[in-house]
């Protein structure tokens, strides 16, 4: 006898999807602070031993984030990520095969406000990464600051996040057996300040460190563009030269993170809030760009590969933009 379960009602599904997005936003905007507060507060309670033991573990385990992290497949496959995927929805598109005997460096564009597409595609299995790219283990770089926060460091490592430093990148890309993919959001926190609907401005013109890294490791470069990444939040106007942009830039220099003043919809209303709009995000992964290994590449060699990368990224954008309702006269702008 075949047992069938009644499908969830649409209102219930939408509530679950919204709840999953709220959880994700809280995890990156509030969980870090809560983890720090809990770690300190426990020292002043009868549960002080919890923080003391964790501090000892933290000391022993301090090198783990730079050694590929510690992914937990149960958390990567958690159902909450599938609800988050369906909220927007978010999809992952493959345009070329990736050989599992090689390592790859993926440049992800644009950053967006909170990099929803990058997180869901590379840090969870909600969009089917392992089925699309069998034999490939994804890693996503994140600001090193977050790996200094107790408890929170273990949470972000569980999805495959690693610190954004050369040591962490080299560890992933130098695996001799291959099968590793390192995704870098090249524009970083600074690019988030230009994230707004309809914007295709990428902070990439003078960002060449990832290209040098690929050459030093002989790792193919793979461009990836996430259509709709900039469309899920509005942002307070902050043109270059304005006092707001100056403050944001200074804070970014001091803290290492940018603070875009973003807004979208609320939980129970659609006029204002911090919940992203329900707008589709589609991350298109391009074909690999072969790179010849050289430990000390010249500036000219780096420039040549960088220009080739810009050309391939532009081709990827132009080829697919019509499918995702991007106006014909819209093109990538590199700054």
């Amino acid at each position: 006898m075949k047992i069938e379960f009644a499908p969830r009602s649409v209102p219930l599904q939408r509530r679950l999807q919204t709840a999953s997005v709220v959880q994700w936003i809280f995890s990156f905007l509030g969980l870090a602070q809560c983890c720090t507060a809990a770690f300190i507060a426990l020292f002043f309670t009868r549960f002080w031993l919890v923080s003391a033991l964790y501090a000892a573990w933290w000391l022993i385990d301090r090198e783990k984030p730079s050694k590929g992290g510690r992914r937990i497949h149960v958390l990567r496959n958690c159902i909450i990520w599938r609800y988050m995927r369906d909220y927007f929805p978010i999809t992952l598109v493959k345009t070329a095969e990736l050989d599992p005997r090689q390592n790859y460096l993926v440049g992800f564009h644009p950053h967006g406000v909170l990099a929803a597409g990058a997180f869901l595609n590379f840090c969870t299995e909600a969009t089917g990464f392992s089925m699309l790219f069998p034999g490939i283990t994804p890693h996503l770089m994140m600001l090193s600051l977050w790996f200094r926060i107790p408890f929170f460091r273990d949470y972000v490592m569980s999805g495959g996040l690693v610190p954004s430093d050369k040591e962490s990148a080299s560890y992933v890309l130098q695996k001799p057996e291959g099968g590793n993919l390192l995704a870098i959001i090249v524009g970083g926190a600074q690019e988030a300040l230009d994230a707004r609907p309809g914007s295709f401005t990428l902070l990439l013109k003078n960002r060449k460190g990832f290209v040098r890294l690929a050459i030093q490791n002989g790792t193919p470069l793979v461009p990836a563009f996430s259509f709709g990444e900039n469309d899920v939040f509005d942002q307070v106007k902050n043109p270059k030269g304005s006092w707001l942009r100056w403050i944001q830039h200074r804070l970014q220099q001091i803290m290492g993170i940018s603070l875009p003043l973003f807004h979208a919809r609320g939980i129970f209303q659609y006029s204002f809030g911090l919940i992203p709009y329900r707008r589709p995000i589609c991350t298109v992964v391009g074909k690999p760009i072969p790179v010849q290994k050289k430990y000390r590449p010249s500036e000219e060699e780096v420039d040549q590969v960088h220009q080739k990368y810009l050309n391939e990224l532009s081709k990827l954008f132009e080829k697919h933009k019509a499918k995702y309702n991007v106006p014909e006269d819209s093109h990538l702008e590199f700054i």
Side-chain angles (χ1 to χ4, degrees), residues 22 32 55-56 66 199 261:
V22 172
S66 298
S199 173
L261 298 181

Side-chain angles (χ1 to χ4, degrees), residues 18 22 87 264-277:
T18 303
V22 172
Y87 173 89
R265 49 157 289 194
I267 298 177
F268 303 109
Q269 43 76 33
Y270 295 89
S271 57
F272 189 83
L274 297 180
I275 309 302
Y277 296 119

Side-chain angles (χ1 to χ4, degrees), residues 7 94 120 135-136 212-213 217 223 231 248 301 325 330 334:
K94 177 178 72 173
L120 205 74
I136 303 292
R212 186 179 298 277
L213 184 65
N217 291 280
D231 296 339
Q248 290 174 323
E301 290 170 325
N325 300 317
S330 294
F334 302 123

Side-chain angles (χ1 to χ4, degrees), residues 12 29 34 42 56 74 76 79 99 168 180 191 193 254 257 262 290 316 319 333:
L12 176 58
L29 296 184
C34 290
L42 284 173
V74 172
R76 281 180 59 88
I79 192 172
D99 186 350
S168 302
N180 278 321
E191 190 177 79
L193 298 178
I254 296 169
I257 58 175
F262 63 92
L316 182 72
K319 182 178 179 180
E333 179 186 0

Side-chain angles (χ1 to χ4, degrees), residues 12-195:
L12 176 58
Q13 286 182 335
R14 293 178 73 88
R15 285 196 293 269
L16 290 171
Q17 291 166 7
T18 303
S20 69
V21 173
V22 172
Q23 178 273 336
W24 167 67
I25 292 175
F26 169 75
S27 70
F28 283 96
L29 296 184
L31 186 57
Q33 291 86 341
C34 290
C35 287
T36 303
F39 177 75
I40 296 172
L42 284 173
F43 275 112
F44 300 95
T45 70
R46 60 179 178 175
F47 302 106
W48 63 269
L49 188 59
V50 174
S51 287
L53 290 174
Y54 184 85
W57 161 251
W58 192 0
L59 182 64
I60 296 170
D61 195 56
R62 63 186 181 278
E63 299 296 330
K64 192 63 179 178
S66 298
K67 304 298 181 183
R70 184 186 300 104
R71 65 184 57 237
I72 301 175
H73 293 288
V74 172
L75 293 180
R76 281 180 59 88
N77 287 279
C78 184
I79 192 172
I80 193 171
W81 307 128
R82 296 199 290 274
Y83 284 124
M84 178 179 167
R85 171 200 66 194
D86 295 337
Y87 173 89
F88 293 96
I90 297 177
T91 54
L92 180 64
V93 175
K94 177 178 72 173
T95 63
E97 296 292 337
L98 297 185
D99 186 350
R101 294 170 296 181
Q102 282 193 302
N103 297 315
Y104 296 92
L105 195 158
V106 171
F108 182 92
H109 315 272
H111 183 286
V113 171
L114 294 179
F119 174 79
L120 205 74
N121 286 315
F122 299 116
C123 299
T124 80
E125 288 296 330
T127 55
F129 182 92
S130 294
M131 290 187 292
L132 284 172
F133 302 102
I136 303 292
T137 301
H139 301 266
L140 177 65
M141 298 199 91
M142 186 182 192
L143 284 173
S144 301
L145 166 71
W146 302 111
F147 294 88
R148 303 187 189 117
I149 300 174
F151 305 120
F152 187 75
R153 68 189 286 274
D154 300 280
Y155 168 70
V156 295
M157 279 197 295
S158 70
L161 286 153
V162 295
S164 56
D165 55 53
K166 188 174 180 179
E167 180 185 358
S168 302
S170 297
Y171 183 88
V172 173
L173 297 177
Q174 289 177 1
K175 284 292 184 74
E177 64 273 19
N180 278 321
L181 180 150
L182 179 66
I184 300 178
I185 307 177
V186 182
Q190 190 174 343
E191 190 177 79
L193 298 178
D194 289 312

Side-chain angles (χ1 to χ4, degrees), residues 219-240:
T219 307
L221 280 165
V222 183
F225 192 86
S226 196
F227 291 91
E229 193 75 46
N230 283 340
D231 296 339
V232 297
F233 287 106
D234 290 316
Q235 188 172 168
V236 175
K237 290 184 178 181
N238 58 344
K240 292 182 179 179

